[in-house]
Amino acid sequence: AMAMTDPKDDSMTVVPEKNDETVIFPRREGDRSIEGARFSYHAVLRALPAPIFAQILHLIVFGELVVAIDPSFMETYCDINSSTTSTIWLKAIRCEALAEYEGDARYLSGVIMLAEMIFCVLISSAGFVFRTKSLINEKPWKKNRFWAYSVLICISIVIIFVTLSIESIFPTMPWYFYILSIIAPFTCLAVGEAVKTVDLRHATRAEMLRRLQFETRLGMWSPK
């Protein structure tokens, strides 16, 4: 879907990028890897929030469900019952007996984790349509309708699957589970946009250097 993005509007007004190491800004003389290193760091920063939020939700759901579904197991091996505390999942996930636990709670929490991961990736993908352009200045759904339709279809499929498969677990979840589920994808998107501003600053600087280099060479070889 990303490959279906419309061409850049300013492609005829900027100096095109070249495989020229002189336009890269090294940390020290002779080091030409700064561009690749920064790209790698930023890719990691943009990718980290999604699995972190998904793992947190997995722990909440698993801790709450294992007490609701298998109360006898938790009371026998972990000394936990449904009236222990309002944040019962915090105590439940620290129980060593759950290391070998295999049951519906583990499966259902895995489904929720996967669904949240998909939501985070789909929403944050809006920031990947353009590497340096902000969503405020360039709307991705206007430049790539195929991407927009793909995201809507995927979100609809996930919602239908989760609703039909594990609808019964939602009444047992605490209120902050719903808040975290909603804000997590948009937090991932916000992190990506914050990282993008740094990329934009370097891209703008590099484009100015390319233009200066081009105009300098043009002036040198133009007829007097």
Side-chain angles (χ1 to χ4, degrees), residues 160-223:
I160 294 173
F161 171 75
V162 172
T163 302
L164 296 179
S165 302
I166 53 178
E167 181 181 5
S168 59
I169 76 168
F170 293 111
T172 63
M173 294 297 104
W175 59 270
Y176 47 84
F177 164 81
Y178 302 99
I179 295 179
L180 186 61
S181 300
I182 295 173
I183 68 172
F186 298 99
T187 302
C188 295
L189 179 61
V191 171
E193 289 299 294
V195 173
K196 190 186 293 185
T197 57
V198 181
D199 277 336
L200 176 60
R201 184 170 66 250
H202 286 276
T204 302
R205 186 182 177 191
E207 197 279 328
M208 293 175 63
L209 180 58
R210 291 196 300 271
R211 178 176 291 278
L212 177 62
Q213 186 183 61
F214 171 77
E215 292 179 351
T216 300
R217 291 178 178 176
L218 183 64
M220 291 174 59
W221 293 100
S222 61

Side-chain angles (χ1 to χ4, degrees), residues 46-62:
R46 299 177 76 175
L48 276 178
I52 290 175
F53 281 118
Q55 182 61 31
I56 293 174
L57 288 175
H58 173 266
L59 294 176
I60 295 175
V61 174
F62 180 65

Side-chain angles (χ1 to χ4, degrees), residues 73-81 91-92 95-98:
F73 176 91
M74 296 302 293
E75 190 168 356
T76 302
Y77 295 99
C78 304
D79 193 25
I80 298 175
N81 55 62
K91 187 175 180 180
C95 178
E96 296 182 359
L98 291 178

Side-chain angles (χ1 to χ4, degrees), residues 50-117:
I52 290 175
F53 281 118
Q55 182 61 31
I56 293 174
L57 288 175
H58 173 266
L59 294 176
I60 295 175
V61 174
F62 180 65
E64 293 286 342
L65 283 183
V66 73
V67 176
I69 295 176
D70 292 327
S72 59
F73 176 91
M74 296 302 293
E75 190 168 356
T76 302
Y77 295 99
C78 304
D79 193 25
I80 298 175
N81 55 62
S82 58
S83 60
T84 301
T85 175
S86 58
T87 54
I88 196 171
W89 66 274
L90 286 174
K91 187 175 180 180
I93 61 176
R94 293 195 294 267
C95 178
E96 296 182 359
L98 291 178
E100 304 296 331
Y101 174 83
E102 295 292 340
D104 293 339
R106 186 175 295 279
Y107 164 74
L108 295 174
S109 59
V111 172
I112 292 295
M113 179 182 68
L114 179 61
E116 184 65 22
M117 184 75 175

Side-chain angles (χ1 to χ4, degrees), residues 27-46:
R27 284 179 288 234
R28 58 182 181 273
E29 186 65 26
D31 184 359
R32 301 298 182 183
S33 62
I34 180 63
E35 181 71 19
R38 186 176 67 251
F39 181 81
S40 301
Y41 297 153
H42 289 179
V44 172
L45 288 175
R46 299 177 76 175

